[in-house]
Amino acid sequence: MKNSIQDHFLINSSTPFWVKRALILGQFFLIIFVYHILKDLKDTLVITSSDAGAQVIPFLKIWVILPFAILASYLFSKIYQKFGREKTLYFFVLLLLTSYALFAFCLFPFREELHLYWLSDSLTTALPLGFKGFISMISFWIYTFFYLTAELWAMMILTVLFWGYLNEITSAQQAKSFYPLCVFVGNCAGILSGQTSRYLCHSLMDVLSWQETLQLMISIVIGCGIAIMAINRLLSKSDIPLVSKKPKQSNPTMTFKESLLCIIRSQPLLCIATLVVGFGLTSNLIEVVWKETIKGVYPSPQAYNAYVNQLTSIIGILAVCMSLLARWIFQAFSWSKIALLTPVSLFITSFIFFFSMQMSEESLSPYAAFFNMNSLYFVMTLGSIYYVLALTAKYTIFDMCKEMAFLSIDANERMRAKSVIDSVGSRLGKSGSSCLYQVLLITFGSTAGHISIVGVTAVLVIGVSIIATRKLGQHISKQASYTLAEASSLA
């Protein structure tokens, strides 16, 4: 009787493909929903916690996120080789959900007692002004802890475990129609996540305290995490490709060092790694300056979180519209031209933002007055336009092209290389920009003194990304599964 009940609820080899597709899309929706809640919440906590503002982010990226990204990638490799994907996902999801619950219900209520104010005073006296972010990272260590665990969700659950699994069970031809559907569902999750968080932070601001709001948001995250594991259990009962694929030959497992060498020796993998590193470096360079302007307009945690979540919803709406245009885009242009949309949009919007930052108050005021804004709000809005357009391109065109590019790589190299590129590569880009920021902050004392240096660096990195995109496009054009005729079936 027990087995018959289980068979009734669990999918099996006779389950229609559309049911398995629906489960995968449902899991992806929940992963993205959680990702956006954590992404905006972690920034809100570390930026509004002290007068260091966004200056804490570069120190977090280099001293906390990068070493733990390497450690997590190494740990993933060991656990994956020994236990397989299903148990690896359970391990990381449970570990992260436990961390979120610990922060929200045990650490945050006692934050005043746990924060190292005495150490902050001592370090402020001993260190130069440019170390404010470093001091904040140490003094407000519980926020640093949450920032780290929130970053690990995006790194391990979304990029490595979900997309890695999807690449394992999906052929190149099937990806043409199924990947855009995943992107569409993910963007819908972004809309709902943004509106949910904004409702809790803005509409219920007079009803719930910030602590109650945060605990409610974490409770929603935990509920979604449990549902993700339940769906994973159902999928594991019928681990069959969405379409028939040629049987794979068994291959020896690769160590972390071997995976890294594989990327260096393969031009396509090196190009993909360059794009991932370049996007992480460029976005982090610009966002630190932009997030500092947001804090100047919205200093309270509730107001800050409500604003960035509204932008998350706007990004989701635009990305959905972009997804609906995907078929026409892939019919009209080659992979290379489509992939170039992201660096081009980054170049245009970042140039306008940095140009406005360089303008004097007298020169900027007339433009701000025309839109009925003060100068700070106007600059923040220009930065928000960059953020919205860049992430819209990233969540649609960039991610989809990147995942399709992975399918042009030999299957023997793909999984281990992907785990290194997605986990370490993106962190390396952000950490590289953080190293630059630390030097500039120590030299100038604040973000205001090095805007031109950041702008020039961002343009150079975009140029390198354009070159890598062209080279990768030449490789993909040689693959039979990436002809223009097949690309026209996308979406």
Side-chain angles (χ1 to χ4, degrees):
M1 177 64 70
K2 181 178 180 180
N3 291 335
S4 63
I5 294 175
Q6 290 179 341
D7 292 340
H8 177 73
F9 287 101
L10 295 177
I11 60 175
N12 49 58
S13 59
S14 63
T15 304
F17 282 146
W18 71 266
V19 175
K20 300 168 188 176
R21 281 187 173 187
L23 287 171
I24 292 174
L25 291 174
Q27 187 181 57
F28 186 58
F29 181 93
L30 293 172
I31 291 174
I32 295 295
F33 184 86
V34 171
Y35 163 76
H36 282 295
I37 290 180
L38 296 175
K39 176 178 177 292
D40 295 332
L41 185 57
K42 69 180 175 64
D43 285 341
T44 299
L45 289 169
V46 299
I47 292 175
T48 62
S49 62
S50 70
D51 60 352
Q55 295 181 33
V56 67
I57 294 179
F59 292 94
L60 286 169
K61 298 294 185 184
I62 190 66
W63 297 108
V64 178
I65 304 302
L66 179 60
F68 276 92
I70 297 173
L71 177 61
S73 181
Y74 176 81
L75 185 62
F76 165 83
S77 178
K78 292 295 183 180
I79 297 176
Y80 187 89
Q81 290 176 18
K82 186 172 183 179
F83 298 104
R85 177 196 173 272
E86 181 185 1
K87 293 182 179 179
T88 302
L89 185 139
Y90 295 148
F91 174 82
F92 279 103
V93 171
L94 283 173
L95 177 65
L96 293 177
L97 293 183
T98 302
S99 301
Y100 304 146
L102 175 66
F103 169 78
F105 298 99
C106 298
L107 299 180
F108 191 79
F110 302 98
R111 58 192 179 280
E112 294 300 323
E113 292 79 9
L114 294 172
H115 288 158
L116 307 177
Y117 293 110
W118 60 271
L119 182 59
S120 176
D121 295 336
S122 301
L123 292 176
T124 301
T125 303
L127 297 175
L129 182 62
F131 281 90
K132 283 199 303 184
F134 179 78
I135 296 170
S136 177
M137 177 188 73
I138 297 176
S139 303
F140 299 90
W141 65 272
I142 68 169
Y143 296 150
T144 299
F145 168 75
F146 180 77
Y147 194 97
L148 168 64
T149 55
E151 285 277 316
L152 289 177
W153 180 274
M155 181 198 316
M156 303 308 302
I157 308 302
L158 174 58
T159 57
V160 176
L161 285 167
F162 178 82
W163 279 112
Y165 168 70
L166 200 58
N167 284 343
E168 285 280 310
I169 65 171
T170 308
S171 70
Q173 179 61 29
Q174 183 67 18
K176 299 292 183 179
S177 60
F178 192 59
Y179 280 13
L181 185 58
C182 288
V183 173
F184 180 85
V185 170
N187 292 326
C188 291
I191 297 173
L192 181 60
S193 175
Q195 289 303 302
T196 300
S197 297
R198 187 175 188 276
Y199 176 78
L200 295 176
C201 294
H202 180 72
S203 301
L204 299 182
M205 184 183 299
D206 297 330
V207 179
L208 299 176
S209 66
W210 173 233
Q211 177 176 313
E212 293 170 334
T213 301
L214 184 144
Q215 290 175 340
L216 183 55
M217 294 171 71
I218 295 300
S219 298
I220 294 173
V221 166
I222 293 173
C224 292
I226 294 173
I228 288 168
M229 290 188 291
I231 293 175
N232 190 68
R233 180 59 178 167
L234 296 177
L235 289 171
S236 67
K237 291 298 181 179
S238 182
D239 197 10
I240 298 176
L242 297 179
V243 295
S244 59
K245 301 175 68 175
K246 294 180 180 180
K248 298 180 180 179
Q249 297 178 348
S250 58
N251 297 281
T253 57
M254 298 176 65
T255 65
F256 178 80
K257 180 180 178 180
E258 290 171 340
S259 299
L260 194 60
L261 290 175
C262 179
I263 294 171
I264 296 174
R265 293 167 181 169
S266 171
Q267 184 183 32
L269 285 175
L270 189 60
C271 287
I272 296 175
T274 301
L275 295 179
V276 173
V277 172
F279 186 89
L281 193 150
T282 304
S283 61
N284 196 59
L285 280 174
I286 302 171
E287 285 180 24
V288 170
V289 180
W290 169 65
K291 289 172 182 177
E292 191 69 27
T293 64
I294 299 179
K295 187 191 176 185
V297 178
Y298 299 107
S300 71
Q302 292 95 326
Y304 185 103
N305 196 258
Y307 178 76
V308 294
N309 275 286
Q310 182 67 10
L311 293 183
T312 297
S313 294
I314 294 174
I315 292 169
I317 293 171
L318 291 179
V320 166
C321 295
M322 180 69 76
S323 299
L324 296 176
L325 295 174
R327 180 181 178 85
W328 176 83
I329 292 174
F330 274 83
Q331 284 178 335
F333 303 101
S334 65
W335 184 95
S336 296
K337 292 180 179 179
I338 297 169
L340 284 171
L341 288 175
T342 299
V344 168
S345 65
L346 282 173
F347 177 83
I348 296 173
T349 53
S350 61
F351 177 82
I352 295 174
F353 174 62
F354 281 113
F355 186 77
S356 69
M357 294 285 291
Q358 293 291 82
M359 295 176 67
S360 63
E361 179 72 20
E362 294 76 13
S363 302
L364 190 61
S365 295
Y367 298 99
F370 179 79
F371 293 98
N372 197 25
M373 302 176 183
N374 60 46
S375 297
L376 181 59
Y377 196 95
F378 181 66
V379 172
M380 182 195 72
T381 302
L382 292 177
S384 299
I385 293 173
Y386 149 79
Y387 181 76
V388 168
L389 293 181
L391 288 193
T392 298
K394 198 268 181 185
Y395 291 152
T396 53
I397 300 301
F398 182 86
D399 281 349
M400 185 161 50
C401 287
K402 183 194 71 172
E403 296 302 328
M404 291 171 65
F406 269 118
L407 290 177
S408 70
I409 308 300
D410 182 76
N412 300 337
E413 305 173 350
R414 185 187 307 151
M415 185 61 189
R416 300 306 186 277
K418 179 175 174 58
S419 68
V420 175
I421 290 175
D422 283 339
S423 60
V424 179
S426 61
R427 299 308 110 192
L428 186 62
K430 294 180 179 180
S431 298
S433 65
S434 297
C435 287
L436 175 61
Y437 261 118
Q438 289 184 54
V439 173
L440 295 175
L441 286 171
I442 294 171
T443 302
F444 294 96
S446 66
T447 56
H450 55 259
I451 301 301
S452 59
I453 298 177
V454 173
V456 171
T457 304
V459 171
L460 291 176
V461 173
I462 292 173
V464 173
S465 298
I466 291 174
I467 295 173
T469 301
R470 290 184 177 275
K471 288 186 176 293
L472 186 58
Q474 293 172 1
H475 164 76
I476 291 177
S477 64
K478 299 177 183 178
Q479 306 298 315
S481 59
Y482 284 83
T483 62
L484 187 60
E486 290 181 350
S488 65
S489 64
L490 184 63

Short mmCIF file of all heavy atoms in Angstrom, two decimals, residues 3 14 51 57 96 103 153 155 180 182 215 238 255 257 275 314 317 341-342 374 395 398 400 411 418 444 462 476 486:
data_model
loop_
_atom_site.label_atom_id
_atom_site.label_comp_id
_atom_site.label_asym_id
_atom_site.label_seq_id
_atom_site.Cartn_x
_atom_site.Cartn_y
_atom_site.Cartn_z
N ASN A 3 3.93 1.65 -1.09
CA ASN A 3 4.59 1.83 -2.37
C ASN A 3 3.63 2.33 -3.44
O ASN A 3 3.97 3.14 -4.29
CB ASN A 3 5.25 0.54 -2.84
CG ASN A 3 6.44 0.16 -1.97
OD1 ASN A 3 7.05 1.03 -1.35
ND2 ASN A 3 6.76 -1.12 -1.93
N SER A 14 7.20 6.74 -17.18
CA SER A 14 6.04 6.89 -18.07
C SER A 14 5.39 8.26 -17.96
O SER A 14 4.42 8.53 -18.66
CB SER A 14 5.01 5.80 -17.73
OG SER A 14 4.53 5.98 -16.40
N ASP A 51 27.66 54.39 8.26
CA ASP A 51 27.96 55.52 7.39
C ASP A 51 28.93 55.15 6.28
O ASP A 51 29.19 55.96 5.38
CB ASP A 51 28.51 56.70 8.20
CG ASP A 51 29.80 56.35 8.93
OD1 ASP A 51 30.17 55.16 8.93
OD2 ASP A 51 30.42 57.27 9.50
N ILE A 57 30.99 47.13 0.22
CA ILE A 57 30.85 46.06 -0.76
C ILE A 57 32.19 45.61 -1.34
O ILE A 57 32.45 44.40 -1.43
CB ILE A 57 29.86 46.47 -1.86
CG1 ILE A 57 28.46 46.62 -1.27
CG2 ILE A 57 29.84 45.45 -2.99
CD1 ILE A 57 27.40 47.06 -2.26
N LEU A 96 22.10 26.48 3.48
CA LEU A 96 21.79 27.90 3.33
C LEU A 96 20.51 28.29 4.05
O LEU A 96 20.44 29.35 4.68
CB LEU A 96 21.69 28.24 1.83
CG LEU A 96 23.00 28.14 1.06
CD1 LEU A 96 22.78 28.43 -0.42
CD2 LEU A 96 24.05 29.09 1.63
N PHE A 103 20.27 33.63 11.05
CA PHE A 103 20.44 35.08 11.00
C PHE A 103 19.18 35.82 11.43
O PHE A 103 19.22 36.73 12.28
CB PHE A 103 20.84 35.51 9.59
CG PHE A 103 20.80 37.00 9.38
CD1 PHE A 103 21.82 37.81 9.84
CD2 PHE A 103 19.72 37.59 8.74
CE1 PHE A 103 21.78 39.18 9.67
CE2 PHE A 103 19.66 38.96 8.56
CZ PHE A 103 20.70 39.75 9.02
N TRP A 153 23.70 31.43 -2.53
CA TRP A 153 22.47 30.92 -3.17
C TRP A 153 22.56 31.13 -4.68
O TRP A 153 22.29 30.21 -5.46
CB TRP A 153 21.24 31.63 -2.61
CG TRP A 153 19.97 31.15 -3.24
CD1 TRP A 153 19.39 31.58 -4.40
CD2 TRP A 153 19.14 30.08 -2.76
NE1 TRP A 153 18.25 30.86 -4.67
CE2 TRP A 153 18.07 29.94 -3.68
CE3 TRP A 153 19.19 29.24 -1.64
CZ2 TRP A 153 17.05 29.00 -3.51
CZ3 TRP A 153 18.18 28.29 -1.48
CH2 TRP A 153 17.12 28.18 -2.40
N MET A 155 25.22 31.61 -6.46
CA MET A 155 26.37 30.91 -7.02
C MET A 155 26.14 29.41 -7.14
O MET A 155 26.33 28.83 -8.22
CB MET A 155 27.59 31.17 -6.13
CG MET A 155 28.86 30.52 -6.60
SD MET A 155 30.08 30.45 -5.27
CE MET A 155 29.94 32.07 -4.57
N PRO A 180 14.58 29.64 -23.50
CA PRO A 180 13.82 30.90 -23.44
C PRO A 180 12.60 30.81 -22.52
O PRO A 180 12.24 31.80 -21.89
CB PRO A 180 13.41 31.13 -24.89
CG PRO A 180 14.43 30.41 -25.69
CD PRO A 180 14.77 29.19 -24.89
N CYS A 182 12.46 29.02 -19.80
CA CYS A 182 13.02 29.15 -18.44
C CYS A 182 13.28 30.62 -18.12
O CYS A 182 12.98 31.08 -17.01
CB CYS A 182 14.31 28.35 -18.33
SG CYS A 182 14.11 26.56 -18.31
N GLN A 215 12.09 39.04 9.14
CA GLN A 215 11.79 37.66 9.52
C GLN A 215 10.70 37.06 8.65
O GLN A 215 10.76 35.86 8.32
CB GLN A 215 11.38 37.62 11.00
CG GLN A 215 12.53 37.91 11.96
CD GLN A 215 12.09 38.00 13.40
OE1 GLN A 215 10.92 38.21 13.70
NE2 GLN A 215 13.04 37.85 14.32
N SER A 238 12.76 10.32 -11.82
CA SER A 238 12.70 10.08 -13.26
C SER A 238 13.72 10.97 -13.93
O SER A 238 13.39 11.94 -14.61
CB SER A 238 11.30 10.38 -13.80
OG SER A 238 11.24 10.09 -15.18
N THR A 255 39.48 16.87 -11.12
CA THR A 255 39.71 17.65 -9.91
C THR A 255 39.52 19.13 -10.22
O THR A 255 39.38 19.54 -11.38
CB THR A 255 41.14 17.42 -9.40
OG1 THR A 255 42.07 17.93 -10.38
CG2 THR A 255 41.40 15.93 -9.17
N LYS A 257 41.71 21.49 -9.95
CA LYS A 257 42.86 21.97 -10.71
C LYS A 257 42.74 21.58 -12.17
O LYS A 257 43.03 22.38 -13.07
CB LYS A 257 44.15 21.40 -10.11
CG LYS A 257 45.41 21.83 -10.83
CD LYS A 257 46.64 21.22 -10.18
CE LYS A 257 47.91 21.63 -10.95
NZ LYS A 257 49.14 21.03 -10.33
N LEU A 275 33.79 36.50 -20.49
CA LEU A 275 32.50 37.20 -20.46
C LEU A 275 31.93 37.24 -19.05
O LEU A 275 31.42 38.28 -18.61
CB LEU A 275 31.50 36.52 -21.41
CG LEU A 275 31.84 36.56 -22.90
CD1 LEU A 275 30.78 35.81 -23.69
CD2 LEU A 275 31.96 37.99 -23.39
N ILE A 314 10.48 46.10 -12.30
CA ILE A 314 10.59 46.73 -13.62
C ILE A 314 11.50 45.90 -14.52
O ILE A 314 11.21 45.69 -15.72
CB ILE A 314 11.12 48.17 -13.49
CG1 ILE A 314 10.10 49.03 -12.75
CG2 ILE A 314 11.42 48.77 -14.86
CD1 ILE A 314 10.58 50.42 -12.43
N ILE A 317 9.56 42.94 -15.76
CA ILE A 317 8.59 43.28 -16.81
C ILE A 317 9.28 43.48 -18.15
O ILE A 317 8.84 42.95 -19.19
CB ILE A 317 7.80 44.54 -16.40
CG1 ILE A 317 6.92 44.25 -15.18
CG2 ILE A 317 6.94 45.04 -17.56
CD1 ILE A 317 6.28 45.49 -14.58
N LEU A 341 24.60 42.53 -27.60
CA LEU A 341 23.62 43.49 -27.08
C LEU A 341 23.91 43.87 -25.63
O LEU A 341 23.72 45.02 -25.24
CB LEU A 341 22.20 42.90 -27.17
CG LEU A 341 21.60 42.79 -28.58
CD1 LEU A 341 20.26 42.08 -28.51
CD2 LEU A 341 21.45 44.16 -29.21
N THR A 342 24.39 42.91 -24.85
CA THR A 342 24.66 43.19 -23.43
C THR A 342 25.81 44.18 -23.25
O THR A 342 25.63 45.20 -22.58
CB THR A 342 24.94 41.89 -22.67
OG1 THR A 342 23.79 41.05 -22.74
CG2 THR A 342 25.25 42.18 -21.21
N ASN A 374 15.75 66.85 -7.88
CA ASN A 374 16.99 67.48 -7.45
C ASN A 374 18.15 66.73 -8.08
O ASN A 374 17.98 65.65 -8.67
CB ASN A 374 17.10 67.51 -5.93
CG ASN A 374 17.07 66.12 -5.31
OD1 ASN A 374 17.75 65.20 -5.76
ND2 ASN A 374 16.27 65.95 -4.25
N TYR A 395 19.75 39.15 -17.79
CA TYR A 395 18.85 38.06 -17.43
C TYR A 395 18.21 37.40 -18.65
O TYR A 395 17.65 36.31 -18.53
CB TYR A 395 17.75 38.57 -16.51
CG TYR A 395 18.24 38.96 -15.12
CD1 TYR A 395 17.57 39.92 -14.38
CD2 TYR A 395 19.35 38.35 -14.56
CE1 TYR A 395 18.00 40.27 -13.11
CE2 TYR A 395 19.80 38.70 -13.31
CZ TYR A 395 19.12 39.67 -12.58
OH TYR A 395 19.56 40.02 -11.33
N PHE A 398 22.17 37.75 -22.19
CA PHE A 398 23.47 37.29 -21.73
C PHE A 398 23.40 35.87 -21.18
O PHE A 398 24.17 34.99 -21.59
CB PHE A 398 24.01 38.24 -20.66
CG PHE A 398 25.37 37.87 -20.15
CD1 PHE A 398 26.52 38.30 -20.80
CD2 PHE A 398 25.52 37.10 -19.01
CE1 PHE A 398 27.78 37.96 -20.35
CE2 PHE A 398 26.78 36.74 -18.54
CZ PHE A 398 27.91 37.18 -19.21
N MET A 400 21.11 33.54 -21.52
CA MET A 400 20.68 32.54 -22.50
C MET A 400 21.81 32.23 -23.47
O MET A 400 22.07 31.07 -23.77
CB MET A 400 19.45 33.04 -23.25
CG MET A 400 18.86 32.03 -24.21
SD MET A 400 17.16 32.41 -24.65
CE MET A 400 17.27 34.14 -25.10
N ALA A 411 30.79 17.57 -23.90
CA ALA A 411 30.09 17.23 -22.66
C ALA A 411 31.03 16.76 -21.56
O ALA A 411 30.74 16.92 -20.37
CB ALA A 411 29.04 16.15 -22.94
N LYS A 418 31.94 24.35 -15.98
CA LYS A 418 30.84 25.27 -15.66
C LYS A 418 30.83 25.62 -14.19
O LYS A 418 30.61 26.78 -13.81
CB LYS A 418 29.49 24.65 -16.06
CG LYS A 418 28.30 25.54 -15.73
CD LYS A 418 27.02 24.93 -16.25
CE LYS A 418 25.83 25.76 -15.79
NZ LYS A 418 25.91 27.16 -16.23
N PHE A 444 41.96 57.86 -2.08
CA PHE A 444 41.15 59.08 -2.14
C PHE A 444 40.27 59.27 -0.91
O PHE A 444 39.78 60.37 -0.67
CB PHE A 444 40.27 59.07 -3.39
CG PHE A 444 41.05 59.15 -4.67
CD1 PHE A 444 41.38 58.01 -5.37
CD2 PHE A 444 41.47 60.37 -5.18
CE1 PHE A 444 42.10 58.07 -6.56
CE2 PHE A 444 42.18 60.45 -6.36
CZ PHE A 444 42.51 59.30 -7.06
N ILE A 462 34.65 46.44 -20.98
CA ILE A 462 33.61 46.18 -21.99
C ILE A 462 34.25 45.87 -23.34
O ILE A 462 33.79 44.99 -24.08
CB ILE A 462 32.66 47.38 -22.09
CG1 ILE A 462 31.84 47.52 -20.81
CG2 ILE A 462 31.72 47.23 -23.29
CD1 ILE A 462 30.98 48.77 -20.75
N ILE A 476 31.12 29.13 -32.23
CA ILE A 476 29.74 28.61 -32.25
C ILE A 476 29.23 28.47 -33.67
O ILE A 476 28.47 27.54 -33.99
CB ILE A 476 28.83 29.53 -31.41
CG1 ILE A 476 29.19 29.41 -29.93
CG2 ILE A 476 27.36 29.19 -31.61
CD1 ILE A 476 28.41 30.32 -29.02
N GLU A 486 18.56 26.74 -37.31
CA GLU A 486 18.09 26.19 -36.06
C GLU A 486 17.78 27.29 -35.05
O GLU A 486 16.85 27.19 -34.28
CB GLU A 486 19.13 25.23 -35.47
CG GLU A 486 19.25 23.92 -36.27
CD GLU A 486 20.25 22.98 -35.65
OE1 GLU A 486 20.96 23.41 -34.72
OE2 GLU A 486 20.34 21.82 -36.08
#
